[in-house]
Amino acid sequence: MAALKTTVNLSKKLFVRNITLTSFARKYDKIVDTPYEEILQNELSVSQKKYMPGLYPKTKEEMKAAAEKYGLHPDEYKPCDPDTNYAGDYPDLPFISVEAKDPYYPWDFPALRRNFEEPIHKEANMLFGDRYEYGVRQIVEPSKGIAIFCSIMAACILIFWLSCNISQPLMEKQYPGKGIHYTFELK
């Protein structure tokens, strides 16, 4: 009973300090049918809203405004699928890693192969130069690489298995000063 009473008191203290959780608990009935982007927009400050994607565009005017916001031509702009990505009006950009981009193009940021104010993919943390190399042609295809690895391992195991029972021929050796004479025989 004492543990339950302490837990109830602790949860009251946490609820008072955690304004977001308190406001969520009070507005729960209202937000059950509300899209996640709309809930997020209501909880952010003005400076945070500037950099967050807006709601999914439904009209042509909203599409045009979103394309202008991200610096894309209205014909090039296509928002992410709202059912799978939950990215609001963020554009559905191609998944191209740093290594797959042209190294001789005069980039504004050559190390990242990016231009100033260019929209980046929402999974950009996977596309840096020291991570995933999507879109780069490999020297050896993965299926051939696995076949080469397996054949080399099989050859090594076969050589090891065949050489287990073979003893090395040792010659007679005499240690000077000791007068001991060792003779080794082959099996």
Side-chain angles (χ1 to χ4, degrees), residues 23 56-57 74 123 125 141 158 175:
S23 63
Y56 185 79
E123 302 287 343
N125 58 341
E141 294 157 5
L158 183 68
Y175 291 98

Side-chain angles (χ1 to χ4, degrees), residues 40-53 69:
L40 190 61
Q41 289 289 330
N42 295 335
E43 295 295 327
L44 297 174
S45 67
V46 177
S47 63
Q48 290 172 324
K49 284 182 185 179
K50 179 180 176 183
Y51 298 105
M52 292 297 291
K69 174 182 173 183

Side-chain angles (χ1 to χ4, degrees), residues 107-173:
W107 300 101
D108 292 339
F109 303 106
L112 299 176
R113 294 187 188 160
R114 280 192 70 210
N115 286 326
F116 185 69
E117 290 189 354
E118 175 186 358
I120 59 173
H121 196 275
K122 62 183 175 7
E123 302 287 343
N125 58 341
M126 289 182 6
L127 298 173
F128 289 133
D130 61 341
R131 291 180 177 84
Y132 193 52
E133 297 176 350
Y134 187 79
V136 178
R137 274 186 59 197
Q138 302 294 326
I139 297 170
V140 178
E141 294 157 5
S143 57
K144 285 185 182 177
I146 291 171
I148 291 169
F149 172 75
C150 290
S151 61
I152 290 173
M153 286 291 114
C156 290
I157 290 170
L158 183 68
I159 290 170
F160 177 75
W161 182 68
L162 291 175
S163 67
C164 274
N165 296 331
I166 298 174
S167 63
Q168 297 297 321
L170 299 173
M171 302 180 74
E172 293 183 2
K173 186 172 186 180

Side-chain angles (χ1 to χ4, degrees), residues 80-113:
C80 292
D81 185 24
D83 296 331
T84 57
N85 290 326
Y86 310 109
D89 67 347
Y90 201 75
D92 191 14
L93 299 170
F95 198 71
I96 300 172
S97 68
V98 174
E99 288 82 16
K101 293 182 180 179
D102 184 15
Y104 302 110
Y105 180 83
W107 300 101
D108 292 339
F109 303 106
L112 299 176
R113 294 187 188 160

Side-chain angles (χ1 to χ4, degrees), residues 10-22 26:
L10 180 62
S11 67
K12 285 181 183 177
K13 288 179 184 176
L14 289 175
F15 248 60
V16 170
R17 290 187 183 158
N18 195 340
I19 296 168
T20 310
L21 185 60
T22 307
R26 289 181 187 156

